Amino acid sequence: MPTDLSKFNNDWYKPGGKVKRALWYCFNNWFLLNKYNPFGGLKKFVLRMFGAKIGKGVVIKQRVNVKYPWFLEIGDHSWIGEGVWIDNLGKVKIGPHCCISQGALLLCGNHNYKKSTFDLMVGDITLEEGVWIGAKSVVSGGVTCFSHAVLSAGSVANKDLEAYKIYQGNPAQIVRERVIEE
């Protein structure tokens, strides 16, 4: 049976009211996506205003895109780099001391290619303490990156990443242990 997108229906998915989402769309464009807004404190204030839980010492660079801040939690002293897209149709929990490098994508949504109706699928993402997501990398929905895992630049994590391991490639594979020196 061929794909029939005319039958696509995601009415079951209710991420928030229309007014709330419309307001967030405007605020996201004005304060987070705006390359002329270097003020991290203002970005954190706006995210919190819309329900995000943001820890102390968090750094948020320019052109960060957040789909739904009410599904976002960022732990203390984590960094969100330029051009990061947090497409959080599900919950995204970023632990303390994490680094998400430039252009990385945290992607909670996908489609079921096995169904002719191409149904929406949503999975949460968890990054535990000390995780580093390299530049231009992708973390898929349903993935947990355990403590101090590293996803190298340009790699794709479509399954859980073990603690203190460095991953590379598409799909990401373990390439070595992560040893942190004092």
Side-chain angles (χ1 to χ4, degrees):
M1 175 178 284
T3 301
D4 186 353
L5 295 179
S6 70
K7 294 181 181 176
F8 176 78
N9 182 338
N10 67 341
D11 287 345
W12 62 269
Y13 181 68
K14 304 214 182 306
K18 289 181 182 179
V19 172
K20 181 180 186 179
R21 288 184 286 137
L23 281 172
W24 172 246
Y25 178 81
C26 295
F27 275 79
N28 190 39
N29 279 293
W30 293 332
F31 295 104
L32 269 75
L33 284 169
N34 183 348
K35 67 181 180 180
Y36 299 111
N37 177 17
F39 305 109
L42 182 57
K43 294 173 197 173
K44 290 183 281 189
F45 173 80
V46 169
L47 282 165
R48 286 182 183 118
M49 189 172 77
F50 278 88
K53 296 175 184 155
I54 310 289
K56 64 182 177 184
V58 170
V59 174
I60 300 174
K61 296 292 191 171
Q62 284 82 8
R63 297 178 292 105
V64 171
N65 190 8
V66 175
K67 179 73 93 181
Y68 299 128
W70 46 93
F71 293 153
L72 179 63
E73 184 176 335
I74 304 174
D76 295 343
H77 305 289
S78 286
W79 302 346
I80 312 297
E82 291 91 348
V84 167
W85 184 10
I86 302 174
D87 192 24
N88 58 334
L89 297 175
K91 292 181 182 177
V92 169
K93 182 177 181 182
I94 300 167
H97 305 282
C98 290
C99 178
I100 304 174
S101 295
Q102 302 87 339
L105 173 61
L106 304 183
L107 181 63
C108 290
N110 204 343
H111 294 277
N112 188 342
Y113 64 86
K114 295 178 183 177
K115 299 263 190 163
S116 66
T117 53
F118 210 52
D119 295 351
L120 177 65
M121 301 183 309
V122 177
D124 298 341
I125 293 173
T126 301
L127 309 181
E128 291 187 348
E129 181 176 1
V131 167
W132 179 14
I133 304 301
K136 301 286 186 180
S137 291
V138 177
V139 179
S140 300
V143 169
T144 296
C145 299
F146 290 97
S147 180
H148 294 85
V150 174
L151 182 63
S152 298
S155 298
V156 177
N158 57 11
K159 63 179 181 173
D160 292 350
L161 304 185
E162 294 178 37
Y164 289 93
K165 303 281 193 247
I166 299 173
Y167 288 79
Q168 186 175 31
N170 180 6
Q173 303 293 321
I174 297 172
V175 293
R176 68 183 67 84
E177 296 281 328
R178 181 180 186 185
V179 178
I180 299 175
E181 300 174 357
E182 292 293 321

